[in-house]
Amino acid sequence: MYTFLQIDKKLLMIKVHFFLAMAGSAPIIPFLSTISMQRGYSSVIVGLIFTLIPLPALIVRPVVGALTDKYKCRKIALITLIVINCLVICVLMFIPGTTIETEISDVNVIKSPTFWLFFSTIAMFITSTTARSVLENTICIGLLGENKYKYGQQRVWGAVGWGMISFLSGAVIDWFSKGQDYKNYTPGMIIALTACILDTFVALKIEVVENSESKIEVSNVKKMLINIRVLSFLLWVVAFGFFNAFIWYYLFWYLDDLSLIYHPETIPYIKTLEGLTQTIQCFGGEVPFFFLSSYILKRVDNMKVFSLMFFVFAARFFLYSIITNPVFVLPVELLNGLTYALAYSAATSYAAELAPVGAEGTLQGIVGTALLGIGAPVGSFVGGQLFDLFGSITSFKILSGTALAVCITQTTVDLLLNRYFKDKNFKENASSTDGPTIDAIDNNYL
């Protein structure tokens, strides 16, 4: 009668982990662009930072996925990465800060040892965070077994943690910055460190399902990765990361611009407002769609979810381009459920469906690399150039048209693949030596 109130104890710790893991990132990652701007870095330098910091993860993510698949050490690796995050946050809090009214020249920034200390610390935090996401997703999928479509119901707790703590962090930063010309971000970092320390103890209690008898068939992985459907999927994941980079790294910069240009009266509480955007993104957008994802993904093809996601990105960027009051951005953030939560659930569950037995972490690492190691860095670089050349508002007009073009292209490609490529069951075919290859073409149309 009250089954909806029942909690699966096997999944409880992974839910708590998602909550604390995202809570540990919320006071840092979305504020990085404004932290960098306050240090006197130009939009070009900020774009360079966000382009380069994910690059180490290009290697780390797939390597972590492959090694933990081979040696069955996902839990130890997960705990190690959480501890690294704790140490990195401690370093970040004590890096000498600069708060100046005018930008430092790009040449002087590049020559500064403090800049490189800041850059390398952020790079370490992003690398360990994204590598951790490979493990937590793989562990979660393993716990779910055949119910992979329920991934979103577990990951939703990460959205809850992000939404709660980002708003709290923004409010605390504003509170401790009263009467100052610049924002004091240290209280937010203390909150992040606390969440990471608690997460270390939670990770010790997570149950990890690993089949010690399963072996990775390299040939199966190779076959899967040269299949046109899989390659197409990875391409759209790259585009997914590209557009999300503008939300993750440039939304607060854009809000600061709106505040300075149109509504300077909002400056004293702009960090609270920025934190509130994250809360609305999570509770108004991600939470409902992470929950609904299990229902939707059982009935709707993953690539149709991607088509919807690209279309909503076009609408979201267009709305950014016509808003002048930063407060009016808040209702737009409800769209984050479609542009992130539902699409992320589709990408994760689809990768789990495609992965040959024993290579689950490997493929999750590849998808993570496509999203965060290729898509997001390219988006960050392009964002820095666009903001420098056209400003934030015009940049979002350009992005709106780009997202619409990608939507049309992706929808057309998906229709063609569905027409001319008959077999979607890659995993079974990859495991078969006598059956048809996974990139078999339906020749009936010739």
Side-chain angles (χ1 to χ4, degrees):
M1 182 177 177
Y2 299 103
T3 54
F4 66 99
L5 294 176
Q6 295 177 358
I7 297 176
D8 187 340
K9 293 181 180 179
K10 183 180 178 181
L11 298 171
L12 178 60
M13 286 297 103
I14 194 68
K15 287 181 171 72
V16 177
H17 162 72
F18 276 128
F19 178 91
L20 291 172
M22 298 303 291
S25 298
I28 298 177
I29 292 178
F31 292 96
L32 282 178
S33 62
T34 53
I35 291 173
S36 301
M37 183 171 60
Q38 185 169 285
R39 297 177 70 90
Y41 304 155
S42 70
S43 61
V44 173
I45 291 294
V46 174
L48 183 65
I49 290 173
F50 292 133
T51 300
L52 297 179
I53 57 176
L55 295 185
L58 278 171
I59 299 172
V60 172
R61 268 188 299 266
V63 167
V64 166
L67 288 178
T68 53
D69 277 344
K70 181 176 181 179
Y71 296 107
K72 314 301 177 187
C73 57
R74 289 172 188 154
K75 186 170 184 176
I76 294 173
L78 178 65
I79 294 169
T80 301
L81 289 169
I82 296 171
V83 171
I84 289 173
N85 267 2
C86 292
L87 297 175
V88 170
I89 293 171
C90 290
V91 174
L92 188 60
M93 283 193 290
F94 293 102
I95 293 177
T98 56
T99 50
I100 62 174
E101 294 183 1
T102 57
E103 288 183 0
I104 306 173
S105 72
D106 294 347
V107 174
N108 288 335
V109 170
I110 297 299
K111 290 180 178 179
S112 169
T114 303
F115 166 75
W116 289 108
L117 176 60
F118 175 75
F119 171 83
S120 58
T121 305
I122 294 299
M124 178 66 73
F125 183 78
I126 296 296
T127 301
S128 57
T129 297
T130 53
R132 184 204 69 213
S133 71
V134 172
L135 294 174
E136 63 196 17
N137 287 343
T138 308
I139 290 170
C140 182
I141 291 294
L143 289 170
L144 291 171
E146 296 298 319
N147 299 318
K148 295 178 179 61
Y149 62 89
K150 292 185 178 180
Y151 166 80
Q153 294 180 1
Q154 320 313 314
R155 178 58 177 75
V156 68
W157 294 100
V160 173
W162 183 282
M164 290 177 59
I165 301 305
S166 57
F167 174 69
L168 175 63
S169 299
V172 169
I173 289 167
D174 277 338
W175 176 267
F176 280 90
S177 302
K178 284 183 177 179
Q180 300 181 31
D181 293 331
Y182 303 98
K183 298 297 181 180
N184 180 5
Y185 291 96
T186 301
M189 294 181 188
I190 293 173
I191 293 172
L193 179 60
T194 303
C196 284
I197 292 172
L198 292 174
D199 193 25
T200 305
F201 294 101
V202 171
L204 290 168
K205 298 181 179 297
I206 294 176
E207 180 182 347
V208 178
V209 178
E210 291 180 306
N211 186 353
S212 59
E213 297 180 356
S214 64
K215 295 182 180 180
I216 303 175
E217 294 291 341
V218 177
S219 61
N220 288 342
V221 176
K222 288 181 178 178
K223 286 180 183 179
M224 180 187 63
L225 292 179
I226 63 172
N227 177 266
I228 191 169
R229 281 188 180 276
V230 178
L231 291 174
S232 175
F233 165 59
L234 292 176
L235 175 63
W236 306 130
V237 171
V238 169
F240 177 32
F242 175 87
F243 290 123
N244 265 301
F246 291 88
I247 308 297
W248 295 337
Y249 301 134
Y250 291 104
L251 176 61
F252 286 9
W253 187 303
Y254 158 73
L255 290 172
D256 277 6
D257 281 352
L258 291 184
S259 181
L260 288 169
I261 297 170
Y262 297 110
H263 289 274
E265 74 278 5
T266 63
I267 292 175
Y269 58 87
I270 190 62
K271 297 304 159 187
T272 303
L273 183 62
E274 289 170 354
L276 187 58
T277 65
Q278 304 299 292
T279 303
I280 293 175
Q281 283 181 13
C282 294
F283 287 100
E286 292 181 21
V287 169
F289 276 96
F290 270 130
F291 270 119
L292 289 171
S293 64
S294 60
Y295 176 84
I296 294 171
L297 294 177
K298 285 183 70 175
R299 294 162 175 81
V300 180
D301 181 80
N302 294 279
M303 290 301 95
K304 287 184 173 58
V305 169
F306 268 53
S307 298
L308 175 63
M309 176 259 293
F310 289 131
F311 178 79
V312 177
F313 260 127
R316 185 175 183 178
F317 291 150
F318 175 73
L319 290 172
Y320 285 160
S321 72
I322 62 174
I323 287 173
T324 58
N325 191 326
V327 175
F328 294 160
V329 171
L330 297 179
V332 179
E333 299 315 289
L334 294 171
L335 297 176
N336 203 58
L338 292 169
T339 58
Y340 181 72
L342 185 58
Y344 188 79
S345 297
T348 302
S349 61
Y350 195 41
E353 291 176 11
L354 301 180
V357 175
E360 296 85 356
T362 302
L363 189 56
Q364 291 292 346
I366 292 170
V367 171
T369 296
L371 175 65
L372 300 170
I374 300 175
V378 173
S380 300
F381 177 77
V382 172
Q385 299 300 314
L386 285 177
F387 273 45
D388 184 56
L389 291 172
F390 303 106
S392 58
I393 298 170
T394 302
S395 294
F396 280 118
K397 279 187 168 64
I398 296 170
L399 285 167
S400 177
T402 304
L404 184 59
V406 171
C407 175
I408 294 170
T409 303
Q410 186 267 330
T411 302
T412 303
V413 170
D414 187 46
L415 289 172
L416 292 173
L417 290 177
N418 286 336
R419 175 172 172 79
Y420 297 124
F421 287 79
K422 64 179 181 180
D423 199 350
K424 297 183 180 181
N425 199 346
F426 309 126
K427 181 177 289 190
E428 288 186 8
N429 285 342
S431 301
S432 172
T433 56
D434 300 323
T437 60
I438 56 173
D439 56 346
I441 301 178
D442 185 354
N443 292 317
N444 293 333
Y445 73 92
L446 295 176

